[in-house]
Amino acid sequence: MSKKQTGRIVAVANQKGGVGKTTTTLNFSGALALTGKRVLIVDSDPQGNASSGLGIHPGADEKHLYHGMCGDISVTGITRPTSTKKLFVIPTNIDLVATELEIINEENREYFLQNLLEPVRADYDFIIIDCPPSLGLLTVNGLTAADSVLIPMQCEYFAMEGLAKLINTIRLVKNSFNSDLYVEGLLLTMFDTRNRLSHQVAAEVRRHFTSQVFQTVIPRNVRLSECPSHGKIIMEYDNKSNGAQAYNALAREFLKPRR
């Protein structure tokens, strides 16, 4: 199935939890929006943390990603504005877990998210998909819909644990459903400059993946941990924090012309 060559779709994925995946989705997207880009976040994680991190909590009677994936409503009917100009979100809640069960026997089940997003792809500069911390059908849908994958990796002892499985899943999706899929880059997160292990892990990742690793490193930052509970991206919560500066730097690096 072909995709319109318009707005870029980036899946943020790592099946290992606690690596800063949703934090990256929210603040990377917010930083892009603050440069003037029109950005849509797709909360494809049933935990709904990207939604709540923007102050949005879909109730039992409200339509969200689950209803869009199951064909009950169009994508525009589940897209919401956020407090950040040019930043929009398709929220979700725990009901999304039922999606995998409901589409498991459907034909072209890997393309449901791509088909949902296709009508509005031209309306955005970037669509950022927050994939769940698993390698199930929701993540496969995210990878199938995406042009590229951004992989957050925490600078801790088990940083590379499970990465081979993710890379293999990306390869399988590329071979079977999305031949144009590529790795956007690996992003080092939760970096503690005072911790020797953080430096060792960063060096190991750069040695293994060289140019695939973003130069920007996301520090361990209390303000980054606090802002989701206030429903704000870090630039609106504390624009002078190290976390805000790091995600602004990531957006600039991401937007640089590629050679």
Side-chain angles (χ1 to χ4, degrees):
M1 293 187 180
S2 62
K3 299 180 212 170
K4 295 178 182 178
Q5 297 305 307
T6 49
R8 270 170 72 188
I9 301 181
V10 180
V12 181
N14 192 328
Q15 83 277 13
K16 191 175 186 301
V19 301
K21 178 180 59 63
T22 299
T23 297
T24 293
T25 297
L26 290 173
N27 297 300
F28 171 55
S29 299
L32 289 173
L34 291 173
T35 70
K37 303 297 183 184
R38 189 173 167 88
V39 183
L40 173 65
I41 293 174
V42 180
D43 189 355
S44 186
D45 183 344
Q47 296 176 86
N49 290 335
S51 304
S52 61
L54 292 167
I56 297 173
H57 306 269
D61 298 328
E62 296 177 275
K63 303 292 186 181
H64 50 83
L65 183 59
Y66 164 78
H67 303 94
M69 291 274 287
C70 293
D72 296 340
I73 191 170
S74 71
V75 65
T76 54
I78 53 175
T79 301
R80 300 198 196 180
T82 72
S83 61
T84 304
K85 187 178 180 180
K86 294 198 173 184
L87 181 64
F88 301 82
V89 63
I90 297 176
T92 197
N93 66 19
I94 195 64
D95 291 347
L96 190 65
V97 297
T99 304
E100 291 189 328
L101 295 175
E102 293 192 23
I103 70 173
I104 189 70
N105 294 317
E106 296 288 335
E107 188 177 356
N108 296 320
R109 61 188 182 183
E110 297 83 7
Y111 296 93
F112 275 51
L113 184 57
Q114 178 184 317
N115 293 336
L116 177 69
L117 297 176
E118 181 117 355
V120 297
R121 182 166 177 162
D123 297 337
Y124 298 93
D125 295 296
F126 298 104
I127 297 176
I128 312 296
I129 303 171
D130 188 29
C131 296
S134 70
L135 296 178
L137 191 52
L138 286 171
T139 295
V140 170
N141 263 261
L143 297 177
T144 301
D147 298 301
S148 63
V149 192
L150 191 159
I151 305 172
M153 294 181 64
Q154 84 281 31
C155 293
E156 295 178 355
Y157 185 70
F158 292 112
M160 299 180 74
E161 183 183 74
L163 185 60
K165 290 182 180 179
L166 176 60
I167 296 297
N168 186 55
T169 298
I170 293 170
R171 185 180 299 114
L172 289 171
V173 170
K174 181 180 177 70
N175 291 338
S176 301
F177 312 115
N178 184 2
S179 61
D180 296 326
L181 184 66
Y182 64 93
V183 174
E184 187 73 48
L186 280 73
L187 176 67
L188 296 170
T189 63
M190 303 181 185
F191 186 86
D192 186 346
T193 57
R194 302 164 299 177
N195 188 328
R196 181 184 298 177
L197 180 61
S198 284
H199 292 277
Q200 291 173 341
V201 170
E204 181 181 4
V205 173
R206 292 193 188 281
R207 184 168 60 250
H208 277 84
F209 296 99
T210 60
S211 61
Q212 285 189 298
V213 185
F214 283 102
Q215 290 301 309
T216 301
V217 175
I218 308 301
R220 187 175 288 280
N221 182 249
V222 173
R223 305 301 269 174
L224 276 175
S225 303
E226 292 173 348
C227 62
S229 64
H230 295 269
K232 295 181 178 180
I233 60 172
I234 188 61
M235 298 82 184
E236 293 177 335
Y237 183 65
D238 186 352
N239 194 42
K240 294 182 179 179
S241 67
N242 289 338
Q245 293 175 29
Y247 278 109
N248 281 327
L250 175 64
R252 290 193 298 271
E253 183 178 354
F254 173 80
L255 292 171
K256 278 184 181 178
R258 296 170 185 272
R259 293 183 179 179

